[in-house]
Amino acid sequence: MSAPYTVNIDQQAARHYTDKGAMILLLEVPEQTHVAFDHQSFVVGPKFKGVKMLPPGTHMVSYNAASHTGDFAPTSSFFVHLAPSQVYVRKWSIEQELLFEVPADEAEPFQAGARRYDFDQNLAPYNLHAYQHWQSLSSCISQGVISRLSPLPSGNISITAEADPAHLEPVTPAEKKLYAQLQQGKTAAESTGSTALRVDGEQQSEATPSDRQQDTSDLQTSDLRPQEGVGRCYYTRLPRLVKVPGMNPQQLTALNLDKTGLLSNILQKHFGDKPGDLLGELQFSFLAFLMGQSLEGESAVSVC
């Protein structure tokens, strides 16, 4: 199989980019696993242990575990903000088929080995020619944005976590009212032997740490529980429809067509002195959808 790209630089330049650039070590990843760094993908071979020469800044790793029959698991992904010369280490979990960050004390020997070039033959060079394109997609995603939005504690984003029944319960008064109506309809349908229609709410709730701790012992849907080690992102909740008591229909229409005032309130309430983090969140959610196949990421972008 031919290489997905080539990096044509002389030995001195390669040494410079290796020393000044960052490295991502991915240990014990099984062969045939599909791994993508930013928007460049690989199929893992027997020698693969990661990527070197990464420019400092934000990067995204997406991956799919492969079965012996050639099928792939749902995509998992994580964001990381790298400093110059940083060596970032994650290790494959056979049980969960996920990559987890290695604790600092355990990572030190691998980091030292990487700086001694022990893994040099096992690291693919980053595609520097495509970096400008990646930077245009991620330029506003700071370390703060990654820390605020990434799932806890692993940072692994996956669509499998978005089916958590704990987050399918109604949250807002409107959702609770609709849920009660649907339950009444379901009860009536069951009593008459007919099949009730399934209605999906248009707006999802914002994920918060307290949501993750909800008691779901009364839910008879254990088969829908998300995979351990993945989670939902903590996106800012943006209203689809703005309603202000006392406004006439014309005023409400104008308010929803021009949401400048709403944007100002959101920036002041959620982002304070860092308005650029809103752009970072939009880039984060777009890439989570595009590269990580997260439907919550698509929903977060489509609200805007």
Side-chain angles (χ1 to χ4, degrees), residues 203-243:
Q203 180 167 337
Q204 65 183 36
S205 62
E206 176 184 5
T208 63
S210 60
D211 288 337
R212 309 301 177 89
Q213 300 170 2
Q214 286 184 351
D215 181 10
T216 60
S217 58
D218 60 331
L219 295 174
Q220 304 300 316
T221 51
S222 58
D223 57 322
L224 293 177
R225 294 192 183 281
Q227 178 184 9
E228 275 189 54
V230 298
R232 301 172 73 215
C233 297
Y234 297 85
Y235 295 122
T236 303
R237 187 171 183 174
L238 302 176
R240 293 179 182 270
L241 182 65
V242 184
K243 295 182 179 181

Side-chain angles (χ1 to χ4, degrees), residues 14-27:
R15 183 67 175 262
H16 170 78
Y17 285 121
T18 301
D19 291 342
K20 301 300 182 182
M23 302 183 197
I24 295 180
L25 292 184
L26 302 181
L27 306 176

